[in-house]
Amino acid sequence: MALEWVVLGYAAGAEAVMLLLLTLPGLDGLRRGMVSVVRSALKPMMSVVPFCLFLLMDIYWKYETRPTCDDEHACTPSEHLRHHKSVMKSQRNALLIAAALLLYWILFSVTQLVVRLDQMQQRVDKLKKRDD
């Protein structure tokens, strides 16, 4: 199961880098090429959403089937420690899922805004040429 989390981490990292390159000021030449790269990458990266849902179901299943240590003497100290480690990993993985989904949504929104901004800039330039 660790490979799935590594893949999700790399996907979230790629989304963050693309988002950073799209939003940094002063990179107009790079932004035009980056917009076309991001727009072509958004559809394949949409697979992050069902992948995250699958991993959320996995976390939920592990939560529902975990051994409980309700009483003080019901579990050994090693079982108690393993239980706490499992809870911490689940919380970390849930944060990774939330970050990946949020970054995808922000990347999609920013890309659409940049495309719209370019279209509006082209319209303004066309109107200025027509007025001259």
Side-chain angles (χ1 to χ4, degrees):
M1 289 299 282
L3 183 61
E4 295 167 347
W5 298 108
V6 170
V7 168
L8 186 61
Y10 282 142
E15 291 169 352
V17 167
M18 286 189 273
L19 188 61
L20 186 66
L21 289 175
L22 277 178
T23 57
L24 279 177
L27 298 176
D28 292 332
L30 179 66
R31 187 172 293 123
R32 287 187 195 103
M34 195 64 194
V35 166
S36 64
V37 168
V38 170
R39 287 186 80 187
S40 64
L42 277 174
K43 284 186 182 178
M45 288 181 72
M46 181 68 174
S47 63
V48 166
V49 175
F51 190 60
C52 286
L53 293 176
F54 168 73
L55 292 175
L56 269 176
M57 288 189 300
D58 181 54
I59 290 173
Y60 178 75
W61 179 79
K62 285 180 182 176
Y63 177 77
E64 286 295 319
T65 60
R66 76 183 191 283
T68 57
C69 296
D70 294 333
D71 296 331
E72 221 175 279
H73 303 288
C75 297
T76 65
S78 64
E79 290 173 335
H80 195 63
L81 183 63
R82 187 170 2 131
H83 171 69
H84 282 295
K85 282 183 180 180
S86 175
V87 168
M88 292 294 284
K89 284 182 182 179
S90 294
Q91 290 172 349
R92 178 199 63 201
N93 292 341
L95 283 174
L96 181 61
I97 289 170
L101 291 173
L102 183 67
L103 283 171
Y104 181 82
W105 177 73
I106 291 172
L107 183 65
F108 179 79
S109 299
V110 166
T111 304
Q112 296 302 320
L113 287 173
V114 169
V115 167
R116 237 186 278 159
L117 185 66
D118 286 343
Q119 290 172 348
M120 291 174 78
Q121 186 64 37
Q122 289 174 357
R123 287 181 191 165
V124 167
D125 291 342
K126 193 183 293 183
L127 287 173
K128 283 182 181 179
K129 285 181 182 179
R130 193 173 62 178
D131 287 341
D132 291 339

Coordinates of all heavy atoms in Angstrom, one line a residue, residues 16-76:
A16 N 1.4 21.0 -7.4 CA 1.9 22.2 -6.8 C 2.9 22.9 -7.6 O 2.9 24.2 -7.7 CB 2.5 21.8 -5.4
V17 N 3.8 22.2 -8.3 CA 4.8 22.8 -9.1 C 4.2 23.5 -10.3 O 4.5 24.7 -10.7 CB 5.9 21.8 -9.6 CG1 6.7 22.3 -10.7 CG2 6.7 21.3 -8.4
M18 N 3.2 22.8 -11.0 CA 2.5 23.5 -12.1 C 1.7 24.7 -11.6 O 1.7 25.7 -12.3 CB 1.5 22.5 -12.7 CG 2.2 21.4 -13.5 SD 1.1 20.4 -14.5 CE 0.7 19.2 -13.3
L19 N 1.1 24.6 -10.5 CA 0.4 25.8 -9.9 C 1.3 26.9 -9.6 O 1.0 28.1 -10.0 CB -0.4 25.4 -8.7 CG -1.3 26.4 -8.1 CD1 -2.4 26.7 -9.1 CD2 -1.9 25.9 -6.8
L20 N 2.5 26.6 -9.1 CA 3.5 27.7 -8.8 C 4.0 28.3 -10.1 O 4.1 29.6 -10.2 CB 4.6 27.0 -8.0 CG 5.7 28.0 -7.5 CD1 5.1 28.9 -6.4 CD2 6.9 27.2 -7.0
L21 N 4.3 27.5 -11.1 CA 4.7 28.1 -12.4 C 3.7 28.9 -13.1 O 4.0 29.9 -13.8 CB 5.2 27.0 -13.3 CG 6.5 26.3 -12.9 CD1 6.9 25.2 -13.8 CD2 7.7 27.3 -12.8
L22 N 2.4 28.6 -12.9 CA 1.3 29.4 -13.5 C 1.1 30.7 -12.8 O 0.7 31.7 -13.4 CB 0.0 28.6 -13.5 CG -0.2 27.6 -14.6 CD1 -1.5 26.8 -14.4 CD2 -0.1 28.2 -16.0
T23 N 1.4 30.7 -11.5 CA 1.0 31.9 -10.8 C 2.2 32.9 -10.4 O 1.9 34.0 -9.9 CB 0.3 31.5 -9.4 OG1 1.2 30.7 -8.7 CG2 -1.0 30.8 -9.7
L24 N 3.4 32.5 -10.7 CA 4.5 33.4 -10.4 C 4.5 34.5 -11.4 O 4.3 34.4 -12.6 CB 5.8 32.6 -10.6 CG 6.3 31.8 -9.4 CD1 7.6 31.1 -9.8 CD2 6.5 32.6 -8.2
P25 N 4.7 35.7 -10.9 CA 4.7 36.9 -11.7 C 6.0 37.0 -12.5 O 7.0 36.6 -12.1 CB 4.5 38.1 -10.8 CG 5.0 37.6 -9.5 CD 4.7 36.1 -9.5
G26 N 5.9 37.6 -13.7 CA 7.1 37.8 -14.5 C 7.5 36.7 -15.4 O 8.5 36.8 -16.1
L27 N 6.7 35.7 -15.5 CA 7.0 34.5 -16.3 C 6.0 34.4 -17.5 O 5.5 33.3 -17.8 CB 7.0 33.2 -15.5 CG 8.0 33.1 -14.4 CD1 7.8 31.8 -13.6 CD2 9.4 33.2 -14.9
D28 N 5.8 35.5 -18.2 CA 4.8 35.5 -19.2 C 5.1 34.6 -20.4 O 4.2 33.9 -20.9 CB 4.6 36.9 -19.8 CG 3.9 37.8 -18.7 OD1 3.2 37.3 -17.8 OD2 4.2 39.0 -18.7
G29 N 6.4 34.5 -20.8 CA 6.8 33.7 -21.9 C 6.6 32.2 -21.5 O 6.2 31.4 -22.3
L30 N 7.0 31.9 -20.3 CA 6.8 30.5 -19.8 C 5.4 30.1 -19.6 O 5.0 29.0 -19.8 CB 7.6 30.3 -18.5 CG 7.6 29.0 -17.9 CD1 8.3 27.9 -18.8 CD2 8.3 29.0 -16.5
R31 N 4.6 31.1 -19.2 CA 3.2 30.9 -18.8 C 2.4 30.4 -20.0 O 1.6 29.5 -19.9 CB 2.6 32.1 -18.2 CG 1.2 31.9 -17.7 CD 0.6 33.1 -17.0 NE 1.3 33.3 -15.7 CZ 1.9 34.4 -15.4 NH1 1.9 35.4 -16.2 NH2 2.6 34.6 -14.3
R32 N 2.7 31.0 -21.2 CA 1.9 30.5 -22.4 C 2.1 29.1 -22.7 O 1.2 28.3 -23.0 CB 2.3 31.4 -23.6 CG 1.8 32.8 -23.5 CD 2.1 33.6 -24.8 NE 1.9 35.0 -24.5 CZ 2.8 35.9 -24.4 NH1 4.1 35.5 -24.5 NH2 2.6 37.1 -24.1
G33 N 3.4 28.6 -22.6 CA 3.6 27.2 -22.9 C 3.1 26.4 -21.7 O 2.7 25.2 -21.9
M34 N 3.2 26.9 -20.5 CA 2.8 26.1 -19.3 C 1.3 25.9 -19.3 O 0.8 24.9 -18.9 CB 3.3 26.9 -18.1 CG 3.2 26.0 -16.8 SD 4.4 24.7 -17.0 CE 3.8 23.7 -15.6
V35 N 0.5 26.9 -19.8 CA -0.9 26.8 -19.9 C -1.3 25.6 -20.8 O -2.1 24.8 -20.5 CB -1.6 28.1 -20.4 CG1 -3.0 27.9 -20.8 CG2 -1.5 29.1 -19.3
S36 N -0.6 25.5 -22.0 CA -1.0 24.4 -22.9 C -0.5 23.0 -22.3 O -1.3 22.1 -22.4 CB -0.3 24.6 -24.2 OG 1.1 24.6 -24.1
V37 N 0.6 23.0 -21.6 CA 1.0 21.8 -20.9 C 0.0 21.4 -19.8 O -0.4 20.2 -19.7 CB 2.4 21.9 -20.3 CG1 2.8 20.8 -19.4 CG2 3.4 22.0 -21.5
V38 N -0.4 22.3 -19.0 CA -1.3 22.1 -17.9 C -2.7 21.6 -18.4 O -3.3 20.7 -17.9 CB -1.4 23.3 -17.0 CG1 -2.5 23.1 -16.0 CG2 -0.1 23.5 -16.2
R39 N -3.2 22.3 -19.5 CA -4.5 22.0 -20.0 C -4.5 20.6 -20.6 O -5.5 19.8 -20.4 CB -4.9 23.0 -21.1 CG -5.3 24.3 -20.5 CD -5.8 25.2 -21.5 NE -7.2 24.9 -21.8 CZ -7.9 25.4 -22.8 NH1 -7.4 26.3 -23.6 NH2 -9.2 25.0 -23.0
S40 N -3.4 20.2 -21.2 CA -3.3 18.8 -21.7 C -3.1 17.8 -20.6 O -3.5 16.6 -20.7 CB -2.2 18.7 -22.8 OG -1.0 18.9 -22.2
A41 N -2.5 18.2 -19.5 CA -2.3 17.3 -18.3 C -3.5 17.2 -17.4 O -3.5 16.3 -16.6 CB -1.1 17.7 -17.6
L42 N -4.4 18.1 -17.5 CA -5.5 18.1 -16.5 C -6.4 16.9 -16.7 O -6.9 16.3 -15.7 CB -6.4 19.4 -16.6 CG -5.8 20.6 -15.9 CD1 -6.7 21.8 -16.2 CD2 -5.8 20.3 -14.4
K43 N -6.7 16.5 -17.9 CA -7.6 15.3 -18.1 C -7.0 14.0 -17.5 O -7.6 13.3 -16.8 CB -8.0 15.1 -19.6 CG -9.0 16.1 -20.0 CD -9.5 15.9 -21.4 CE -10.5 16.9 -21.8 NZ -10.9 16.8 -23.1
P44 N -5.7 13.7 -17.9 CA -5.1 12.5 -17.2 C -5.0 12.6 -15.7 O -5.1 11.6 -15.0 CB -3.8 12.4 -17.9 CG -3.8 13.2 -19.1 CD -4.8 14.2 -18.9
M45 N -4.8 13.8 -15.2 CA -4.6 14.0 -13.8 C -6.0 13.9 -13.1 O -6.0 13.9 -11.9 CB -3.9 15.3 -13.5 CG -2.4 15.3 -13.8 SD -1.6 16.8 -13.5 CE -1.6 16.7 -11.7
M46 N -7.0 13.9 -13.8 CA -8.4 13.8 -13.2 C -8.5 12.4 -12.6 O -9.3 12.2 -11.7 CB -9.4 13.9 -14.3 CG -10.8 13.8 -13.8 SD -11.2 15.2 -12.8 CE -13.0 14.8 -12.5
S47 N -7.6 11.5 -12.9 CA -7.6 10.2 -12.3 C -7.2 10.2 -10.8 O -7.4 9.3 -10.1 CB -6.7 9.2 -13.1 OG -5.4 9.7 -13.0
V48 N -6.7 11.4 -10.4 CA -6.4 11.6 -9.0 C -7.7 11.5 -8.1 O -7.6 11.0 -7.0 CB -5.6 12.9 -8.8 CG1 -5.6 13.3 -7.3 CG2 -4.3 12.8 -9.4
V49 N -8.8 12.0 -8.7 CA -10.0 12.1 -7.9 C -10.5 10.7 -7.5 O -10.7 10.4 -6.3 CB -11.1 12.9 -8.6 CG1 -12.4 12.9 -7.9 CG2 -10.6 14.3 -8.8
P50 N -10.8 9.8 -8.5 CA -11.2 8.4 -8.0 C -10.1 7.7 -7.2 O -10.5 6.9 -6.3 CB -11.5 7.7 -9.3 CG -11.0 8.5 -10.4 CD -10.7 9.9 -9.9
F51 N -8.9 7.9 -7.5 CA -7.8 7.3 -6.8 C -7.9 7.7 -5.3 O -7.7 6.9 -4.4 CB -6.5 7.7 -7.4 CG -5.3 6.9 -6.9 CD1 -5.2 5.5 -7.0 CD2 -4.2 7.6 -6.3 CE1 -4.1 4.8 -6.5 CE2 -3.1 6.9 -5.8 CZ -3.1 5.5 -5.9
C52 N -8.1 9.0 -5.1 CA -8.2 9.5 -3.7 C -9.5 9.0 -3.0 O -9.4 8.6 -1.8 CB -8.3 11.1 -3.7 SG -6.7 11.9 -4.0
L53 N -10.6 8.8 -3.8 CA -11.8 8.2 -3.2 C -11.5 6.8 -2.8 O -11.9 6.3 -1.7 CB -12.9 8.3 -4.1 CG -13.4 9.7 -4.4 CD1 -14.5 9.7 -5.5 CD2 -13.9 10.4 -3.1
F54 N -10.8 6.0 -3.6 CA -10.4 4.7 -3.3 C -9.5 4.6 -2.0 O -9.8 3.8 -1.1 CB -9.6 4.0 -4.4 CG -9.0 2.7 -4.1 CD1 -9.7 1.6 -3.9 CD2 -7.6 2.7 -3.9 CE1 -9.1 0.4 -3.6 CE2 -7.0 1.5 -3.6 CZ -7.7 0.4 -3.4
L55 N -8.6 5.5 -1.9 CA -7.7 5.6 -0.7 C -8.5 6.0 0.5 O -8.2 5.5 1.6 CB -6.5 6.5 -1.0 CG -5.5 5.9 -2.0 CD1 -4.4 7.0 -2.3 CD2 -4.9 4.6 -1.6
L56 N -9.5 6.9 0.4 CA -10.3 7.2 1.5 C -11.1 6.0 2.0 O -11.3 5.8 3.2 CB -11.3 8.4 1.1 CG -10.8 9.8 1.4 CD1 -11.8 10.8 0.8 CD2 -10.5 10.0 2.8
M57 N -11.6 5.2 1.0 CA -12.3 4.0 1.4 C -11.4 3.1 2.2 O -11.8 2.4 3.1 CB -13.0 3.4 0.2 CG -14.2 4.1 -0.3 SD -15.1 3.2 -1.6 CE -13.9 3.0 -2.8
D58 N -10.2 3.0 1.7 CA -9.2 2.1 2.4 C -8.9 2.6 3.8 O -8.9 1.8 4.7 CB -7.9 2.1 1.6 CG -6.8 1.3 2.2 OD1 -7.1 0.1 2.4 OD2 -5.7 1.7 2.5
I59 N -8.8 3.9 4.0 CA -8.6 4.4 5.4 C -9.9 4.1 6.2 O -9.7 3.7 7.4 CB -8.4 6.0 5.3 CG1 -7.0 6.2 4.8 CG2 -8.5 6.6 6.7 CD1 -6.7 7.7 4.5
Y60 N -11.0 4.3 5.7 CA -12.3 4.0 6.4 C -12.3 2.5 6.8 O -12.7 2.2 7.9 CB -13.5 4.4 5.6 CG -14.8 4.1 6.3 CD1 -15.2 4.9 7.3 CD2 -15.6 3.0 5.9 CE1 -16.4 4.6 8.0 CE2 -16.8 2.7 6.5 CZ -17.2 3.5 7.6 OH -18.3 3.2 8.2
W61 N -12.0 1.6 5.8 CA -12.0 0.2 6.1 C -11.0 -0.1 7.2 O -11.4 -0.9 8.1 CB -11.7 -0.6 4.8 CG -11.7 -2.0 5.1 CD1 -12.8 -2.9 5.2 CD2 -10.6 -2.9 5.2 NE1 -12.4 -4.2 5.4 CE2 -11.0 -4.2 5.4 CE3 -9.2 -2.6 5.2 CZ2 -10.1 -5.3 5.6 CZ3 -8.3 -3.7 5.4 CH2 -8.8 -5.0 5.6
K62 N -9.9 0.4 7.2 CA -8.9 0.2 8.2 C -9.4 0.7 9.6 O -9.1 0.1 10.6 CB -7.5 0.8 7.9 CG -6.8 0.1 6.8 CD -5.5 0.7 6.5 CE -4.7 0.0 5.4 NZ -3.5 0.7 5.1
Y63 N -10.1 1.8 9.5 CA -10.6 2.4 10.8 C -11.7 1.5 11.4 O -11.8 1.3 12.6 CB -11.2 3.8 10.5 CG -11.8 4.4 11.7 CD1 -11.1 5.0 12.7 CD2 -13.2 4.5 11.8 CE1 -11.6 5.6 13.8 CE2 -13.8 5.1 12.9 CZ -13.0 5.6 13.9 OH -13.6 6.2 15.0
E64 N -12.6 1.0 10.5 CA -13.6 0.1 11.0 C -13.2 -1.2 11.5 O -13.8 -1.8 12.3 CB -14.7 -0.1 9.9 CG -15.5 1.2 9.6 CD -16.4 1.5 10.8 OE1 -17.0 0.6 11.4 OE2 -16.5 2.7 11.1
T65 N -12.1 -1.8 10.9 CA -11.7 -3.1 11.3 C -10.5 -3.1 12.2 O -9.9 -4.2 12.4 CB -11.3 -3.9 10.0 OG1 -10.3 -3.3 9.3 CG2 -12.5 -4.1 9.1
R66 N -10.1 -2.0 12.7 CA -8.9 -1.9 13.6 C -9.3 -2.6 14.9 O -10.4 -2.5 15.4 CB -8.5 -0.5 13.8 CG -9.3 0.3 14.8 CD -8.9 1.7 14.9 NE -9.6 2.4 16.0 CZ -10.8 2.8 16.0 NH1 -11.5 2.7 14.9 NH2 -11.3 3.4 17.0
P67 N -8.3 -3.2 15.6 CA -8.5 -3.7 17.0 C -8.7 -2.5 17.9 O -8.0 -1.5 17.8 CB -7.3 -4.5 17.3 CG -6.2 -4.0 16.4 CD -6.9 -3.4 15.2
T68 N -9.6 -2.7 18.9 CA -9.8 -1.6 19.8 C -9.1 -2.0 21.1 O -9.1 -3.1 21.6 CB -11.3 -1.5 20.1 OG1 -11.9 -2.7 20.5 CG2 -12.1 -1.0 18.8
C69 N -8.6 -0.9 21.7 CA -8.0 -1.1 23.0 C -8.7 -0.2 24.0 O -8.2 0.9 24.5 CB -6.5 -0.6 23.0 SG -5.5 -1.7 21.9
D70 N -10.0 -0.5 24.3 CA -10.8 0.3 25.1 C -10.3 0.3 26.6 O -10.2 1.3 27.2 CB -12.3 -0.1 25.1 CG -12.8 0.1 23.7 OD1 -12.3 1.0 23.0 OD2 -13.8 -0.6 23.3
D71 N -10.1 -0.9 27.1 CA -9.7 -1.0 28.5 C -8.2 -0.8 28.6 O -7.4 -1.0 27.7 CB -10.1 -2.4 29.0 CG -11.6 -2.6 29.1 OD1 -12.3 -1.6 29.2 OD2 -12.0 -3.8 29.0
E72 N -7.8 -0.5 29.8 CA -6.4 -0.2 30.0 C -5.5 -1.4 29.9 O -4.4 -1.4 29.4 CB -6.2 0.4 31.4 CG -5.2 1.5 31.5 CD -5.2 2.1 32.9 OE1 -6.1 2.9 33.2 OE2 -4.3 1.7 33.6
H73 N -6.0 -2.6 30.3 CA -5.2 -3.8 30.3 C -5.7 -4.7 29.1 O -5.3 -5.9 29.1 CB -5.4 -4.5 31.6 CG -5.0 -3.7 32.8 ND1 -3.7 -3.4 33.0 CD2 -5.7 -3.0 33.7 CE1 -3.6 -2.6 34.1 NE2 -4.8 -2.4 34.6
A74 N -6.5 -4.2 28.2 CA -6.9 -5.1 27.1 C -5.8 -5.3 26.1 O -5.8 -6.3 25.4 CB -8.1 -4.5 26.4
C75 N -4.9 -4.4 25.9 CA -3.9 -4.5 24.9 C -2.5 -4.4 25.6 O -2.3 -3.8 26.6 CB -4.0 -3.4 23.9 SG -5.5 -3.4 22.9
T76 N -1.6 -5.1 24.9 CA -0.2 -4.9 25.4 C 0.4 -3.6 25.0 O -0.2 -2.9 24.1 CB 0.7 -6.1 24.8 OG1 0.8 -5.9 23.4 CG2 0.2 -7.4 25.1

